[in-house]
Amino acid sequence: VTGGSSGVRRAVALELAGRGAAVLATARRLERLERLATEAGGGTRVVVEAGDICDPAFRSHLAAAARTRLGGLDCLVAAAGGGAIGPFRDAAPQTLARLLDLDLVAPLELVRCCLPQLTLGRQPGIVLVGSILGMHPLPLHGEYCAAKAGLRAAAGALRLELAADGIDVMHVALGPVVSEFWESLVAGSRPSWSRGRALPADRAARAIVDGLVRRAAEVTPGWRARGYAWAARHAPGLIDMVARRWLRDERRDATAG
């Protein structure tokens, strides 16, 4: 499980461990990973590896660590990621490069590293954790939407390619979930209109693991996320209309301030 130090990624690691899985959790913050392992009960239930998932050498190390520390790999949950907020015209080029690396390239290249082991796994599966914004974009999230749309498309392609190897591929379209997403943005800050009650991370994690068990192609945890997904499919113009209103109000408030 990548990104296992916080939010829904941490909750997924705990949910898997609670259901009897041996879990290798990874993130950059070792102290948080160690707390995760302690909360899971210590022992070999959750083992940890600290590093940057965007580092190709670390991705190769993770694939090897899964073999040596877990004895193999039955499931990869690629959940690490980040976001950025702001007008595309004002963003530094590095913002786009960073988000594509973090939210698209790194998870897919980790999948590539892990495929030899997954092919040998028991009912193997890949979980790519994306966003409802990969279904339909919102303004001020251009780089993030591009990366998450790409991840969802890749999940669909891999699902077809890997079916002959018996490897399931599930995409997770996350909506608002209790996490540190807004505190760890690559660029920008949380917009004033992005408020409301977020789905608890443990509920999102249960939905993800339940989807993995039933071999679902896609899971969208929470009624708010499912409502957005419905609108993305059946009424995308409604989303755009509301988004234009948000933007108009945001600019008016900025002018008034």
Side-chain angles (χ1 to χ4, degrees):
V1 179
T2 68
S5 62
S6 65
V8 69
R9 295 86 59 98
R10 185 180 194 276
V12 167
L14 289 171
E15 183 71 20
L16 288 167
R19 299 194 192 196
V23 177
L24 171 61
T26 180
R28 288 176 297 171
R29 294 173 289 188
L30 178 59
E31 69 283 357
R32 289 200 174 193
L33 289 172
E34 290 173 339
R35 289 200 294 269
L36 167 66
T38 300
E39 184 175 342
T44 58
R45 183 62 58 83
V46 174
V47 297
V48 302
E49 293 281 347
D52 185 355
I53 199 66
C54 292
D55 179 358
F58 183 64
R59 292 195 292 264
S60 297
H61 168 75
L62 280 180
R67 182 176 62 252
T68 58
R69 303 192 69 182
L70 300 181
L73 189 61
D74 298 323
C75 179
L76 168 64
V77 182
I85 303 296
F88 182 78
R89 71 170 66 191
D90 298 334
Q94 296 92 323
T95 300
L96 176 60
R98 173 60 176 161
L99 280 194
L100 289 176
D101 193 19
L102 180 60
D103 288 344
L104 181 60
V105 175
L108 293 181
E109 289 299 339
L110 182 59
V111 167
R112 194 194 308 275
C113 289
C114 293
L115 278 177
Q117 290 191 69
L118 286 167
T119 303
L120 302 174
R122 296 167 298 178
Q123 295 184 327
I126 296 167
V127 179
L128 297 176
V129 179
S131 167
I132 54 175
L133 298 194
M135 297 177 165
H136 189 84
L138 286 180
L140 307 182
H141 298 70
E143 299 91 344
Y144 180 74
C145 292
K148 292 302 186 180
L151 189 69
R152 186 171 187 248
L158 290 176
R159 188 176 305 118
L160 296 174
E161 290 182 26
L162 300 177
D165 296 310
I167 301 175
D168 295 326
V169 179
M170 184 176 81
H171 175 258
V172 179
L174 279 184
V177 176
V178 175
S179 69
E180 298 175 1
F181 178 85
W182 296 111
E183 289 74 35
S184 55
L185 292 172
V186 171
S189 58
R190 187 173 189 172
S192 60
W193 43 260
S194 179
R195 295 293 184 266
R197 182 177 298 177
L199 184 70
D202 59 342
R203 286 180 55 190
R206 283 196 299 273
I208 291 169
V209 178
D210 286 345
L212 181 63
V213 169
R214 69 175 186 270
R215 306 178 74 172
E218 187 165 64
V219 170
T220 308
W223 68 265
R224 288 179 176 83
R226 288 193 292 273
Y228 187 95
W230 183 93
R233 294 187 184 99
H234 303 292
L238 177 62
I239 297 176
D240 293 343
M241 182 183 70
V242 174
R244 282 192 290 268
R245 183 177 300 172
W246 284 341
L247 278 178
R248 185 178 65 245
D249 292 346
E250 187 94 353
R251 290 167 180 154
R252 183 190 61 210
D253 293 344
T255 302

